[in-house]
Amino acid sequence: MKKLLPLLFTLISLISYSQNAEKEINEQVWKPFTQAIMNHNVELFISLHSKDLVRAERDGKRVLSYDQYKTGMEQGWPKWKESNKKNNIQYTFELRFLERISNENQAFEVGYFKNESINPAGEKRIGYGQFHVTLRKENGVWKILVDSDSNNGKTITEEMFQAARPIE
């Protein structure tokens, strides 16, 4: 019993820390990330990434550095924003999680994302993807260090997406 008590306290501490890390990551990364995408805010979006970023676009079979990724966002997102505004498209983006593992300075997360566009006629276009992300705490703030995503051959369904955990 004496040996079990310290082990139990250690386990409780680890679970508690993991939950706190998730809350920090949600507030520092995922909530602003989602808002940045929906508002096409390139500056906010890029600020959530480490300068050491490795961006793996699995469907495009390419790996980008921070500078390459930033340049692509700066070139593409203003056009995307203008097109949505011009065509009166309502756009939403949502994340859900399959796995979240963290310690005090690093985290690995896997989940799904959902893109939804609705045109003025009410027609919806929905796309899903899966992400794998490694995060690192830099100067006390969580940043995305490795970001990889894929649509997995368009095999991800609404049911799979809904079965994953939402941001809490």
Side-chain angles (χ1 to χ4, degrees):
M1 184 67 154
K2 286 183 182 182
K3 290 182 181 181
L4 233 101
L5 208 48
L7 181 61
L8 183 60
F9 285 129
T10 301
L11 184 59
I12 290 170
S13 295
L14 289 173
I15 291 169
S16 176
Y17 182 80
S18 180
Q19 291 171 342
N20 287 339
E22 282 184 20
K23 287 178 184 176
E24 279 186 352
I25 293 167
N26 288 345
E27 293 302 318
Q28 293 177 12
V29 178
W30 298 126
K31 288 179 181 179
F33 183 95
T34 300
Q35 287 304 309
I37 290 176
M38 289 198 303
N39 295 318
H40 308 89
N41 185 335
V42 176
E43 288 178 28
L44 174 58
F45 184 80
I46 290 299
S47 76
L48 303 170
H49 295 77
S50 170
K51 300 267 193 232
D52 297 326
L53 175 71
V54 175
R55 167 73 176 146
E57 295 179 348
R58 292 174 27 225
D59 296 332
K61 304 291 185 220
R62 63 186 194 155
V63 176
L64 304 173
S65 69
Y66 173 88
D67 290 330
Q68 291 168 320
Y69 192 46
K70 180 180 180 216
T71 298
M73 295 291 111
E74 289 170 340
Q75 291 172 351
W77 277 25
K79 294 174 188 172
W80 178 34
K81 182 177 184 175
E82 184 58 36
S83 175
N84 280 359
K85 185 177 178 181
K86 177 182 172 187
N87 295 306
N88 199 22
I89 302 293
Q90 294 178 327
Y91 175 75
T92 57
F93 177 85
E94 188 179 347
L95 295 171
R96 290 188 170 248
F97 296 89
L98 296 169
E99 186 174 17
R100 301 184 85 177
I101 305 168
S102 61
N103 63 27
E104 63 276 1
N105 296 311
Q106 300 169 316
F108 175 75
E109 302 190 334
V110 178
Y112 296 125
F113 60 88
K114 177 180 178 179
N115 292 296
E116 181 175 296
S117 299
I118 305 173
N119 69 18
E123 299 166 329
K124 287 184 184 181
R125 290 182 60 190
I126 300 174
Y128 299 96
Q130 184 176 41
F131 64 89
H132 295 79
V133 174
T134 302
L135 300 109
R136 173 174 72 186
K137 226 178 205 185
E138 298 178 357
N139 299 316
V141 179
W142 288 98
K143 298 284 184 175
I144 298 169
L145 179 63
V146 178
D147 179 15
S148 171
D149 63 40
S150 172
N151 68 18
N152 290 357
K154 297 185 180 181
T155 59
I156 301 165
T157 65
E158 176 70 18
E159 292 77 19
M160 293 166 68
F161 179 78
Q162 290 298 329
R165 286 187 12 221
I167 294 176
E168 297 172 357

